[in-house]
């Protein structure tokens, strides 16, 4: 695999990359909303990989959080410097680097995990130790040097100066949570650097808060996973495809402590998205019933790509599993689900939502 993504020539591919995202005849423009979920973000990688292959799809904006923010940033950088092929190459290189960086950490599937084909790390001594330590000590205590291997992976894949310098054909909106105010902070193209991306994925039990311009930030999932409103206010296209990582529903009652904690995280990380979807449904209903006439309000069409039946079977610990076999497995599922979605719903783009918002999010 060619991983020299940062050596792509922005000037050479500028016109091609810009044209890729401008809808032509037979093309449909979409926005993407990418959830966070650690290693489960490899599912989103697979979805993006398949969407990039369909030249009928033009991406206007991407709102993303945590692992979704990393996928979004790498996607935009690859697109800016190398078009669709550059984006596919950059995403593949990023996830390969994630896996290679994990090799040098103790967070590896144990012999029991591999023997039972368990995708989680529940039997990993290192994960058990980390789980205990993170409950007793803060990252300011057990990681005083504030080491974060994701920074090296990001900067090895993305030239942030080039991303800001060249014309990026995709509008980026990365969400983080302001620790002091509790409000969502959305970083746009002009503000995005390694700190902004890491702020969007800063889990407070594992990493020290990321400080930017005097403010401290935690993971954006608490206030926007992902935020939909930037796509409504800042983008012209009406269609938004939500790539779900965190299951909305679980049919089995969680009973063990890890299962309960996992479900609490899923509910809290989905709550902001569900609130926004209810607001979208309410405004759409008013527009359809012609009860409001306002040119500043647009009808939003919602679509979703997910794999809840797979995700509900994965334990919380699997979000820290960066084993290449596991990442490749999720990537493959993402490609399959995106392919199936395109076959079933492409003609509905620009026409109607392919998701029943009330049934799904109410």
């Amino acid at each position: 695999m060619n991983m020299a993504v940062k050596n792509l020539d922005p000037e050479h591919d500028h016109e091609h990359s810009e044209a890729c995202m401008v809808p032509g005849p037979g093309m449909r423009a979409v926005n993407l909303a990418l959830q966070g979920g650690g290693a489960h973000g490899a599912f989103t990688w697979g979805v993006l990989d398949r969407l990039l292959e369909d030249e009928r799809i033009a991406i206007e904006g991407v709102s993303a959080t945590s692992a979704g923010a990393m996928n979004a940033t790498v996607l935009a950088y690859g697109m800016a410097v190398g078009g669709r092929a550059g984006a596919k190459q950059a995403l593949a290189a990023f996830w390969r680097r994630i896996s290679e960086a994990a090799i040098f950490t103790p967070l590896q599937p144990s012999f029991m995990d591999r023997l039972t084909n368990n995708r989680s790390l529940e039997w990993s001594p290192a994960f058990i130790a980390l789980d205990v330590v993170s409950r007793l000590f803060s990252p300011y205590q057990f990681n005083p040097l504030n080491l974060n291997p994701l920074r090296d992976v990001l900067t090895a894949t993305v030239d942030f100066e080039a991303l800001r310098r060249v014309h990026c054909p995709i509008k980026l909106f990365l969400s983080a949570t302001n620790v002091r105010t509790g409000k969502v902070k959305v970083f746009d193209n002009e503000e995005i650097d390694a700190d902004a991306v890491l702020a969007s994925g800063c889990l407070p039990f594992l990493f020290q808060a990321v400080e930017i311009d005097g403010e401290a930030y935690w993971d954006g999932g608490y206030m926007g996973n992902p935020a939909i409103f930037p796509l409504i206010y800042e983008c012209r296209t009406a269609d938004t495809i939500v790539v779900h990582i965190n299951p909305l529903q679980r049919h089995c009652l969680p009973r063990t402590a890890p299962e309960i904690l996992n479900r609490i995280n899923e509910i809290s990380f989905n709550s902001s998205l569900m609130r926004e979807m209810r607001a979208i449904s309410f405004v759409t209903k008013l527009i359809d019933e012609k009860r409001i006439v306002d040119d500043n309000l647009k009808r939003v069409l919602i679509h979703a790509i997910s794999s809840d039946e797979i995700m509900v079977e994965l334990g919380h610990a699997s979000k820290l599993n960066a084993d290449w076999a596991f990442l490749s497995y999720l990537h493959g599922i993402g490609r399959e689900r995106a392919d199936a979605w395109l076959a079933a719903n492409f003609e509905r783009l620009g026409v109607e939502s392919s998701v029943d918002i009330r049934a799904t999010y109410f």
Side-chain angles (χ1 to χ4, degrees), residues 26 42 86 95 99 136 158-159 164 251 272 285 305 329 343 353 358:
W95 284 100
S99 179
L136 298 176
V158 177
D159 183 339
R164 291 190 296 271
H251 299 294
S272 59
K285 185 173 184 291
I305 299 176
Y329 165 74
S353 295
R358 295 189 65 86

Side-chain angles (χ1 to χ4, degrees), residues 3 93-105 322 324 327:
M3 296 176 62
F94 172 76
W95 284 100
R96 174 64 79 173
R97 287 187 173 111
I98 288 286
S99 179
E100 290 175 348
I103 292 175
F104 300 101
T105 74
W324 182 246
L327 299 182

Side-chain angles (χ1 to χ4, degrees), residues 70 130 134 137-151 176-179 194-212 215-220 222:
M70 296 180 192
L130 177 63
S134 64
F137 303 97
S138 81
Y140 296 88
Q141 296 170 308
F142 69 75
N143 185 13
L145 298 180
N146 198 23
L147 300 177
N148 188 339
L150 289 175
R151 180 180 294 277
T177 301
N178 187 306
V179 179
D195 283 338
V197 181
L198 292 174
S200 182
C202 180
L203 293 171
F205 296 108
L206 295 181
F207 302 110
Q208 296 181 24
V210 178
E211 295 190 15
I212 301 174
E215 293 288 355
Y217 296 98
W218 282 340
D219 195 291
Y222 296 107

Side-chain angles (χ1 to χ4, degrees), residues 47-127:
V47 171
L48 297 176
D49 197 45
R50 178 62 186 90
L51 293 179
L52 286 166
E53 291 177 358
D54 194 321
E55 296 190 357
R56 301 173 301 171
I57 296 290
I59 302 170
E60 181 183 1
V62 183
S63 181
T65 295
S66 198
M70 296 180 192
N71 274 319
T73 302
V74 174
L75 166 73
Y77 173 70
M79 184 66 69
V81 300
R84 293 177 186 269
K88 285 172 63 67
Q89 179 187 346
L91 284 164
F94 172 76
W95 284 100
R96 174 64 79 173
R97 287 187 173 111
I98 288 286
S99 179
E100 290 175 348
I103 292 175
F104 300 101
T105 74
L107 284 173
Q108 299 292 320
S110 68
F111 173 76
M112 183 66 71
D113 290 323
R114 297 186 188 277
L115 184 65
T116 59
N117 200 30
N118 182 12
R119 307 290 184 178
S120 189
L121 297 174
E122 293 171 354
W123 299 99
S124 167
F127 172 76

Side-chain angles (χ1 to χ4, degrees), residues 5-20:
V5 178
K6 292 175 70 171
N7 293 328
L8 294 173
D9 182 4
E11 298 300 327
H12 176 74
D13 287 303
H14 168 70
E15 292 184 3
H16 172 66
S17 64
E18 184 173 5
C20 282

